[in-house]
Amino acid sequence: MNKLELDDLANAAFLSRFHYVRVFKRMYGLTPRVYLRNLRLNKAKDLIKNGISITTVCFDIGYESPSTFSSVFKKCTGYSPKEYQQLHSAI
């Protein structure tokens, strides 16, 4: 995934970054950061289910650190990426 900057998104919408966040949250119920995190994690779940290595998934979805990816994944899913992989490989 490409690195997205909030300023670039706001500029594309012809809004200040602060107004963009407010409008985005009003429309989607989430901040752009949380929305993007959820998109990335959903993609990560699909890749992990398909047997892609966790390190590869981490970098493919835009994280630069496997430890950061792992902690975010666990916080949001309740499982570490390895636990999630084991859970879905048994199915």
Side-chain angles (χ1 to χ4, degrees):
M1 288 194 165
N2 296 334
K3 187 166 183 131
L4 294 175
E5 297 291 334
L6 184 58
D7 286 331
D8 296 334
L9 296 172
N11 288 338
F14 302 104
L15 299 170
S16 73
R17 69 181 291 153
F18 302 107
H19 190 63
Y20 179 79
V21 170
R22 283 192 297 269
V23 169
F24 191 98
K25 187 168 183 177
R26 195 175 325 134
M27 291 183 70
Y28 296 101
L30 304 167
T31 64
R33 177 175 290 185
V34 171
Y35 183 83
L36 179 60
R37 181 201 65 202
N38 292 346
L39 282 176
R40 287 180 169 158
L41 291 178
N42 287 335
K43 180 68 174 174
K45 289 179 199 175
D46 290 339
L47 293 172
I48 290 171
K49 286 179 188 177
N50 288 320
I52 308 298
S53 79
I54 293 168
T55 303
T56 301
V57 170
C58 167
F59 296 121
D60 283 355
I61 65 164
Y63 280 86
E64 296 177 1
S65 163
S67 63
T68 301
F69 167 66
S70 183
S71 64
V72 170
F73 192 93
K74 182 162 183 141
K75 177 183 171 197
C76 294
T77 66
Y79 300 101
S80 71
K82 187 70 172 170
E83 292 168 338
Y84 189 84
Q85 185 180 51
Q86 291 169 343
L87 177 70
H88 288 282
S89 67
I91 295 177

